[in-house]
Amino acid sequence: MGEEEANKMEASEPKELQQPVKEQKDAAVEKSVIPVPENSVLARVETEKRLALVKAWEENEKAKIENKAHKKISAIGSWENTKKADVEAQLKSIEEKLEKKKAEYAEKMKNKVVEIHKEAEEKRAVIEAKRGEDFLKIEETAVKFRATGYIPKKFLGCFSS
């Protein structure tokens, strides 16, 4: 029945528009295979290819930037470590100089203490010698007073009326 209806429809159309059924099927197959679906598939593939290339380029550029930044950060870290080492070396040098000066000053102070002690001993010795001399002088004067019977006036000055 389906073929009869198709034949009736073909008969109602003008002869120019009427084509054999077989030819219409071939044309439909050609149109469906080549033009519309393949163009959209090709366009989609082309778009995906273009997007993949853009994404690859983007990732490549990001990697370059990342590597460049990492290289600069490493250089800054190296610079920082070098500068820190220089400053620490200067600090150590200054500390050594200060320790040397401290030792020198400590030695000077010890020498001053020794010198002061020596000077004090000399002064003590002078005082002891003078005391000894004064004792001898007093003893000699006392012997003289005893021999002469004379009484010293200074001592008894406070007892005289």
Side-chain angles (χ1 to χ4, degrees):
M1 270 196 163
E3 288 182 17
E4 291 177 344
E5 287 177 4
N7 287 336
K8 284 182 185 177
M9 288 174 89
E10 288 178 9
S12 63
E13 294 179 358
K15 281 194 174 185
E16 298 173 352
L17 295 177
Q18 286 183 358
Q19 294 179 354
V21 176
K22 192 175 186 181
E23 288 180 14
Q24 284 181 350
K25 287 181 183 176
D26 288 337
V29 169
E30 285 181 20
K31 284 184 180 179
S32 66
V33 172
I34 296 174
V36 176
E38 282 190 18
N39 283 341
S40 67
V41 170
L42 287 175
R44 189 169 32 119
V45 168
E46 194 66 33
T47 304
E48 288 176 4
K49 182 180 175 183
R50 188 174 57 246
L51 292 176
L53 288 173
V54 169
K55 186 175 182 179
W57 173 84
E58 179 185 17
E59 289 175 3
N60 186 30
E61 291 299 312
K62 284 181 179 179
K64 283 182 188 178
I65 291 170
E66 185 69 29
N67 290 339
K68 190 175 182 181
H70 182 70
K71 187 177 178 181
K72 286 183 178 183
I73 288 171
S74 296
I76 290 170
S78 175
W79 172 83
E80 179 185 19
N81 291 338
T82 302
K83 292 297 180 180
K84 280 182 180 179
D86 289 345
V87 169
E88 288 173 2
Q90 287 177 348
L91 178 63
K92 188 175 181 181
S93 173
I94 290 170
E95 285 176 348
E96 288 173 358
K97 286 179 183 177
L98 288 174
E99 286 295 323
K100 187 177 178 182
K101 282 186 178 184
K102 181 180 175 183
E104 289 174 2
Y105 284 131
E107 187 66 29
K108 285 182 182 179
M109 294 300 122
K110 286 178 184 177
N111 290 342
K112 280 186 178 182
V113 167
V114 168
E115 191 176 311
I116 291 169
H117 181 69
K118 182 180 173 184
E119 198 174 318
E121 286 295 320
E122 288 173 358
K123 286 182 180 184
R124 283 187 194 108
V126 168
I127 291 173
E128 288 293 324
K130 184 156 172 57
R131 184 178 70 163
E133 288 174 9
D134 289 344
F135 276 159
L136 286 175
K137 193 175 185 184
I138 294 294
E139 286 176 1
E140 287 175 7
T141 308
V143 168
K144 203 191 262 185
F145 285 147
R146 284 185 197 118
T148 61
Y150 182 73
I151 302 173
K153 291 185 179 178
K154 287 185 178 178
F155 179 69
L156 296 175
C158 63
F159 293 112
S160 60
S161 46

